Amino acid sequence: MIMKTKNPILAVVTALCLISANPCHALPIDHQSATQAPTLSIPQDTILKTAYPKTQTEAMAYMEPENLDDYFKALPAHQLEQNVLGFIHPTIQFNNIQGEARYLVIVEKVNIYDGYIQSCRACSSTADLLLYTIKDGQFVLLNSARNQDSIPAGNGHLRHDFTEQLKKNMQAFGKNMMGSYVKASFTGAGGQEESLWYAVLLPDTGKLQALAIGSAGGSTESFFADRPHLASSTSSSLKVIHNDADYYPVEVTYIDNINTKTKPVKSRFTYQPKNSEYVETKLK
């Protein structure tokens, strides 16, 4: 088994975004029934034809991975490159700033070698983010970001609750842009825990991307279990500050969980388009 040792915590400050011009394809819409109301799900063939046309024209010998865990068994897979499988997550539907329906598809990409998916505790996958709209009754690929690696991942795949957090926290992230945020925690071999905030920016046009915002806290209580006087523990909450900026700032409030009488501290994270990153300013 091939082991990938890249640690997602060390990689989190880098957000890679490759946006390409996307052709429009008139393709059918699948209507998928739900318990409360009908929802739209983008057909797999539509995703492949609009975002991965090579999979339709270049035959590849598909190699069924061995020993798939329950996480991957629940997702349909397609071979996107010779040694890359794409696992398609359920469509996330939301409205843009103008109230128009948008559809986000996350295609999780993992490498395979000799029939095995790379797997280890610190292994992570990458993701393609595909944003669709509907024109003349057909799904059309509107915007995309490829090979995003600044996403919460470990044990060879995305966090189990990644898409659920995205849906729950979907809101305006700029005066003309929707987005969402997620929180993820990682535990080191010695028991140290580090938490991070991530953002996913979803403009109709321009740079769609996933990136780290900043620290969400952490704990060394397990690491210093035999010396509790040395331990620290910090948690946080996040708020998007709605103003008239193209990119809304994010405010994070940190709380000391051990010294509870300590006054909470705040940081404001402002997005810098030039470097495609959030920059922290500590507030007094």
Side-chain angles (χ1 to χ4, degrees):
M1 182 181 297
I2 301 297
M3 308 282 278
K4 183 180 179 184
T5 58
K6 181 178 178 181
N7 188 315
I9 299 176
L10 299 179
V12 70
V13 295
T14 303
L16 301 180
C17 182
L18 302 176
I19 300 178
S20 59
N22 300 301
C24 295
H25 294 260
L27 295 163
I29 294 174
D30 276 357
H31 292 265
Q32 187 178 51
S33 62
T35 55
Q36 296 182 345
T39 58
L40 295 180
S41 179
I42 302 179
Q44 296 176 44
D45 285 348
T46 299
I47 295 169
L48 294 176
K49 289 179 181 179
T50 56
Y52 308 101
K54 283 189 176 182
T55 64
Q56 306 294 303
T57 60
E58 296 182 5
M60 289 180 284
Y62 179 75
M63 186 175 294
E64 184 69 29
E66 299 182 18
N67 301 321
L68 278 179
D69 62 25
D70 292 340
Y71 175 91
F72 286 118
K73 286 179 181 178
L75 301 171
H78 294 273
Q79 192 153 3
L80 305 181
E81 300 173 25
Q82 184 176 0
N83 292 315
V84 177
L85 287 183
F87 290 87
I88 301 176
H89 288 254
T91 304
I92 297 174
Q93 182 175 339
F94 65 96
N95 290 337
N96 68 0
I97 297 295
Q98 291 72 34
E100 301 164 334
R102 295 292 181 261
Y103 306 87
L104 175 65
V105 174
I106 299 170
V107 179
E108 187 171 355
K109 298 163 76 173
V110 299
N111 294 328
I112 54 173
Y113 299 94
D114 297 328
Y116 290 91
I117 289 179
Q118 62 180 19
S119 180
C120 68
R121 188 172 183 275
C123 290
S124 61
S125 53
T126 62
D128 290 349
L129 307 178
L130 311 174
L131 185 63
Y132 288 83
T133 186
I134 294 178
K135 291 184 179 179
D136 300 323
Q138 312 296 332
F139 280 117
V140 173
L141 184 57
L142 184 65
N143 202 352
S144 67
R146 310 298 177 121
N147 299 317
Q148 299 292 282
D149 66 354
S150 189
I151 50 178
N155 295 318
H157 54 70
L158 295 177
R159 284 182 56 90
H160 288 272
D161 64 346
F162 178 65
T163 56
E164 290 303 315
Q165 287 196 61
L166 281 182
K167 289 189 288 185
K168 176 183 177 182
N169 299 322
M170 190 73 68
Q171 61 185 282
F173 256 72
K175 64 181 182 181
N176 291 308
M177 175 180 62
M178 293 295 290
S180 188
Y181 64 87
V182 300
K183 179 183 176 182
S185 297
F186 306 94
T187 304
Q192 312 96 313
E193 180 182 294
E194 181 176 355
S195 298
L196 295 164
W197 291 109
Y198 297 83
V200 177
L201 306 181
L202 300 168
D204 282 1
T205 59
K207 193 165 188 176
L208 190 155
Q209 63 179 317
L211 71 163
I213 297 173
S215 174
S219 174
T220 60
E221 289 181 292
S222 294
F223 184 78
F224 290 114
D226 59 337
R227 293 167 290 169
H229 61 285
L230 297 177
S232 63
S233 177
T234 304
S235 58
S236 68
S237 59
L238 181 148
K239 180 180 180 181
V240 180
I241 307 299
H242 292 188
N243 54 24
D244 61 351
D246 291 335
Y247 296 87
Y248 292 158
V250 172
E251 188 173 282
V252 177
T253 301
Y254 298 95
I255 297 175
D256 190 324
N257 297 320
I258 295 178
N259 299 314
T260 56
K261 294 183 179 180
T262 301
K263 183 179 178 180
V265 296
K266 295 184 178 182
S267 285
R268 178 164 292 192
F269 296 86
T270 305
Y271 183 78
Q272 302 295 327
K274 182 178 180 180
N275 298 319
S276 301
E277 65 180 6
Y278 280 94
V279 175
E280 179 180 10
T281 301
K282 295 185 182 298
L283 303 179
K284 295 182 179 180

